[in-house]
Structures are given as structure tokens and as C-alpha cells.
Amino acid sequence: MTNQEHHPHHAAAAPSEAAMAEVLDLDAEVLHTYQADVTAWLADLSDGSPPRRILDLGSGTGTGTFALLERFPEAHATALDVSPQMLHRLRDGACARGLDERVHTVLADLDAPWPSLDPADLAWAASSLHHMADPDHILTEAFRTLRPGGLLAIAEMDFFPRFLSDHLGLGRPGLEARVHAALNEDHGGDLNPALLDAGFTLETKRPFVIDLQHPLPAATGRYAQACLRRLRAHLDGLMDGEDLATLDTLIDSDGPDGVLRRQDLTVRTTRTVWVAKRPQQRPSQ
């Protein structure tokens, strides 16, 4: 695969990068129906002119890249991320899927000035904008990089996935609600003003409600374990010892109480997708 890497001003790896990569890949595996629904919706919005050049902004391991390339078989994608490890994993995934000729990776800090990129028909940013130090800068650069008439799709989770019932058979009821309350997990927000300020016209906004019940995808237990483990890393000092011990049992136990073997798991979350357009250039007078 051809790979051009532009070194950013600062490319410090995020802590627990391997754990984050695992969460991203499991998320795509468990929520594959959601991904298929989103890309089908984007195909409907393309008005019969499917994108040929796609940008994946903050691509991570490439789950969005691969879903979009599956939906748009004539397209090529450029994946941008600040992490060399994520891009290495993405390239491996592209090769395994036979997509190596259709994927181009760029190592870039999107909070810094962007490298020179070919005009794109579709820019995709999934659960990445809220990680950026300057989202307004990201939107301005995305506007500049899209061709006139090109679309920007931004997907953000309204809240982190929930997996547990209130009554677990161990510990006090309502553990998961207390976990999220302690962390104040809230990724929501209104992007409309920022999109308009960047020059976009808002095409549409749609919430995708995810409520998976049995039978669940085979990877659900591992997905729940990886997500809860990520949350657990931030909870010391925020919850009492009984709740933390219960959470540790759920995460680490190989018995029936652990999430790897529990029969009462569900997957509940909501993701909102905004689609905005760079307006067509006005004809010269």
C-alpha cells in the first residue's frame, strides 16, 4: 500500500492506546448493523453521485474507512490520525481486507495546520471531534479540503455504551448508572452553530438509537469488558470500595458473574450524526 506520512508538530501517543484500539475494533464488530445503517443513509444523501474521494478524520484503526469503502466500492480513502500505531493497525486491516490499493494513510495532528490533501467528496469524523483541542479549526480545515458540494459527516456518541442490568445478583443495584454519573460521561452537544460558522450548510441531523438484545453478537462480552475496563481506569477515588470491587468482579471474573459469561448483557447507546455540505461556488459575475 502506498503510504505518505506527514509528521505532526506533536504526536504523543495517548495512554492505553492498545486498549483504545481494541475498543474501536470491538465496537465495529458488535455495532456492525449501526455502521451499515449509517453508510446506507449517507449513500441515500449522495443524490446518485457516490463519493470517489473520502477523508477519515481521526481514523483510529480504520473501522469507518472500511465501512465506507464497503458501501462505496469505487471510492478511495485517505485516513488521517495522530497515532502511528493506529495507522499501522489500519494498514494491516486494509491489507487483510484486500483494500490496500484503495487506502492512503497520513500521519497528521489535525489540531495543527493540515498537510496538502486532494479535494474530497466526503469527510467522515466518527467519535473524534470531541478529542480535538480546537474543533472549530477542524471544521474550517475540513471545509477547505472538501470540494464544493462535498459532504461532511460527523458522528458522536450521546453517551458511552451501557451493558448491565440494574440488578446484577451481586453488589448494590444501579452500579452502571453510578459509574457514568461519577465520570460525568456526556459527549453530547450542538454542532450546528460551529458548522455554520465554518461555512457549511446543515443538510440533516439524525440520532441512531442502538438497543441490542439477545441474541447478541459473539464479541459482546469482550466489548463490554474492554469498555468497562477503560472506565474503571478513571474511577479510583470517585466511587466507594464496594462498587469498585463489584466492577472488578464483572470485568475480571471468568465465572458466571463476569461480563464474558453473563447472560443478561444488552448494548444500549445513541449516536448522533450531522451531515453538512460545503456550498457550491457561486458563478462568477
Side-chain angles (χ1 to χ4, degrees), residues 168-223:
L168 297 167
L170 70 161
R172 293 176 294 163
L175 172 66
E176 193 168 40
R178 291 193 296 279
V179 167
H180 291 278
L183 294 173
N184 192 25
E185 285 284 339
D186 181 11
H187 300 290
D190 184 9
L191 294 177
N192 292 13
L195 288 166
L196 295 174
D197 287 346
F200 288 99
T201 59
L202 184 66
E203 293 293 288
T204 187
K205 172 185 172 182
R206 176 178 169 185
F208 287 80
V209 177
I210 298 162
D211 186 1
L212 303 184
Q213 308 288 333
H214 284 278
L216 295 169
T220 300
R222 290 187 291 125
Y223 180 49

Side-chain angles (χ1 to χ4, degrees), residues 38 41-42 57 122-126 146 151-155 273-276:
V38 171
W41 182 56
L42 292 176
L57 306 176
L122 172 64
W124 168 256
L146 283 167
L151 296 179
L152 169 65
I154 300 173
V273 183
W274 289 260
V275 178

Side-chain angles (χ1 to χ4, degrees), residues 14-284:
S16 304
E17 200 161 75
M20 173 62 76
E22 181 186 20
V23 169
L24 292 174
D25 287 344
L26 288 169
D27 182 276
E29 185 175 350
V30 172
L31 305 186
H32 61 88
T33 301
Y34 155 74
Q35 286 198 319
D37 289 345
V38 171
T39 59
W41 182 56
L42 292 176
D44 290 341
L45 294 173
S46 66
D47 295 327
S49 301
R52 303 297 293 267
R53 292 184 180 274
I54 296 171
L55 287 180
D56 189 350
L57 306 176
S59 61
T61 59
T63 58
T65 295
F66 303 145
L68 289 164
L69 291 181
E70 181 178 356
R71 177 65 61 186
F72 302 113
E74 301 302 317
H76 288 70
T78 298
L80 296 93
D81 202 278
V82 73
S83 166
Q85 291 80 10
M86 292 287 187
L87 291 180
H88 178 76
R89 192 159 174 156
L90 188 155
R91 290 192 294 271
D92 286 347
C95 291
R97 291 167 172 81
L99 297 173
D100 47 312
E101 297 300 322
R102 297 173 58 200
V103 176
H104 176 65
T105 59
V106 177
L107 182 67
D109 180 356
L110 297 179
D111 281 316
W114 287 17
S116 178
L117 299 165
D118 291 333
D121 305 306
L122 172 64
W124 168 256
S127 297
S128 59
L129 194 65
H130 71 272
H131 289 295
M132 305 300 177
D134 188 356
D136 290 341
H137 168 73
I138 309 302
L139 297 180
T140 299
E141 290 287 285
F143 183 92
R144 181 183 61 81
T145 305
L146 283 167
R147 65 164 177 80
L151 296 179
L152 169 65
I154 300 173
E156 289 287 347
M157 66 173 67
D158 294 0
F159 55 88
F160 206 70
R162 269 67 160 170
F163 303 97
L164 304 174
S165 63
D166 283 343
H167 298 276
L168 297 167
L170 70 161
R172 293 176 294 163
L175 172 66
E176 193 168 40
R178 291 193 296 279
V179 167
H180 291 278
L183 294 173
N184 192 25
E185 285 284 339
D186 181 11
H187 300 290
D190 184 9
L191 294 177
N192 292 13
L195 288 166
L196 295 174
D197 287 346
F200 288 99
T201 59
L202 184 66
E203 293 293 288
T204 187
K205 172 185 172 182
R206 176 178 169 185
F208 287 80
V209 177
I210 298 162
D211 186 1
L212 303 184
Q213 308 288 333
H214 284 278
L216 295 169
T220 300
R222 290 187 291 125
Y223 180 49
Q225 183 186 56
C227 288
L228 292 172
R229 187 170 281 156
R230 182 180 169 205
L231 297 179
R232 175 63 180 89
H234 303 283
L235 284 169
D236 284 332
L238 298 179
M239 299 184 72
D240 66 31
E242 181 183 354
D243 276 348
L244 292 178
T246 301
L247 187 58
D248 288 340
T249 297
L250 289 163
I251 293 170
D252 297 327
S253 174
D254 195 38
D257 287 333
V259 292
L260 291 178
R261 297 184 182 273
R262 292 191 73 93
Q263 300 301 305
D264 59 350
L265 294 181
T266 58
V267 184
R268 308 176 309 280
T269 186
T270 302
R271 300 191 177 179
T272 298
V273 183
W274 289 260
V275 178
K277 178 181 287 188
R278 174 175 172 172
Q280 294 285 351
Q281 292 177 336
R282 295 179 180 177
S284 58

